Amino acid sequence: MDSPDLLYLDNNATTQVDPAVLDEMLPFLREHYGNPSSGYRIGKQVAQALATARERVSGLLGCEPSEILFTSCGTESTDAAIHSALALDRDRQHIVTTRVEHSATLKTAEILARRGYEVTWIEVDSRGQVDLDELERAIRPDTALVSIMWANNETGVLFPTEDIAAIVRQKGTLFHTDAVQVIGKLPVRLSDGRVSFLSLSGHKLHCPKGVGALYVNKRTKFVPFLTGGGQESGRRAGTENVASIVGLGKACELAATHMDHEAIAVRALRDRFENGILESVSGTQVNGDREHRLPNTSSLAFDAIDSEAVLLLLDQRGLCCSSGSACTTGSLHASHVLKAMGFSDNRARSSLRFSFGRFNSEADVDRALEIVPEVIAKLRRS
Ligand SMILES: *Cc1c(COP(=O)(O)O)cnc(C)c1O
């Protein structure tokens, strides 16, 4: 599958597994196959590995190990937080979220609205930012949960999550943040307890797909989403995905060690790429707030092109990036994020997202700066 000249600029869709993560996992797929709930030695050894992983994840987040639940993905974490908040108090059946959430939140909120729950949707401006006064006004006495992502997966726009958390707390409501795109890219400290729930996903930080975590603040009551056995202190039933959880622990440890210099290096790659494209391709605009943005993401609108056609030509040259978000590719809908920012269908359909990561190099940027302008020029001529 791998081709030597693959140019992977789609790290917000998923990331390459770090070899150190895989090395840490393999013994748990080979010799250490015990069930962590078993009382004998090979079970207890595995339980110890889960405890280590929990410490590593909590270390990255600045919280206590007991505040981490392992889940099957970022989507499950988000669904579990929403489910818990709504199940907690029958008098609070209203949720507040934004128009630009990942489908994990967006679709869930739409389904809840169809089932009779009330949802207030916060709009964004042309930079992709929310208005904090509007948010404050949206929170009601019967609001069960405010769920707002930390960083947008399509544009990289960062919401002022600490300010949002303070507002929500002052209103006496629970707050969930989908931090899937932030964890491992920017430092997060949860020790002040203003966030009730936080979701993260392994495959966005160089761990395999199919594992995630949910932070639940120790003062927040939690109603389990998956019920059954007593795993995860009775908060998430089902025998643990041990190897992947061990991998997630390692991925978080690596992120904690490398984040500071990696953020600088990745930002430099992204900026050189973005500035290079803006200089060499006329009719190009950056989507979203350039200042409050993830260091790795560049969402660009190219006048007079169809992003699906660009993707095909880029793929032929080995370059992977995305139009809209990976989850909606294949459907004909223009990106809901770009449309919520007030852009026309046309601009949304002519936008591409490039997202850099740990395994990208200067040489990748050089090649991308060669390939992308050629492909755009070719399509504009045709
Ligand atoms: C990828 C992603 C998710 C979903 O995570 P999965 O582990 O794939 O379920 C949720 N939110 C954001 C912002 C994402 O980028």
Side-chain angles (χ1 to χ4, degrees), residues 274-354:
E274 189 171 272
N275 292 328
I277 294 293
L278 290 170
E279 275 165 30
S280 62
V281 184
S282 62
T284 306
Q285 274 141 16
V286 179
N287 295 319
D289 188 339
R290 286 182 79 175
E291 193 189 338
H292 302 106
R293 190 163 55 142
L294 288 173
N296 79 318
T297 308
S298 177
S299 171
L300 299 174
F302 298 95
D303 285 357
I305 60 115
D306 167 17
S307 57
E308 293 300 322
V310 187
L311 279 191
L312 287 177
L313 290 185
L314 291 176
D315 188 29
Q316 286 171 11
R317 310 275 306 260
L319 193 156
C320 308
C321 64
S322 70
S323 68
S325 76
C327 310
T328 52
T329 299
S331 69
L332 289 169
H333 302 292
S335 152
H336 70 281
V337 175
L338 299 176
K339 290 191 69 180
M341 290 161 69
F343 297 144
S344 62
D345 273 21
N346 241 348
R347 175 155 172 174
R349 291 215 179 89
S350 65
S351 291
L352 291 173
R353 176 190 70 192
F354 302 88

Side-chain angles (χ1 to χ4, degrees), residues 127-146:
R127 294 169 311 144
Q129 284 295 354
V130 283
D131 175 1
L132 296 184
D133 292 331
E134 183 186 343
L135 168 68
E136 191 166 352
R137 284 194 302 274
I139 303 171
R140 315 189 310 212
D142 65 337
T143 303
L145 182 73
V146 175

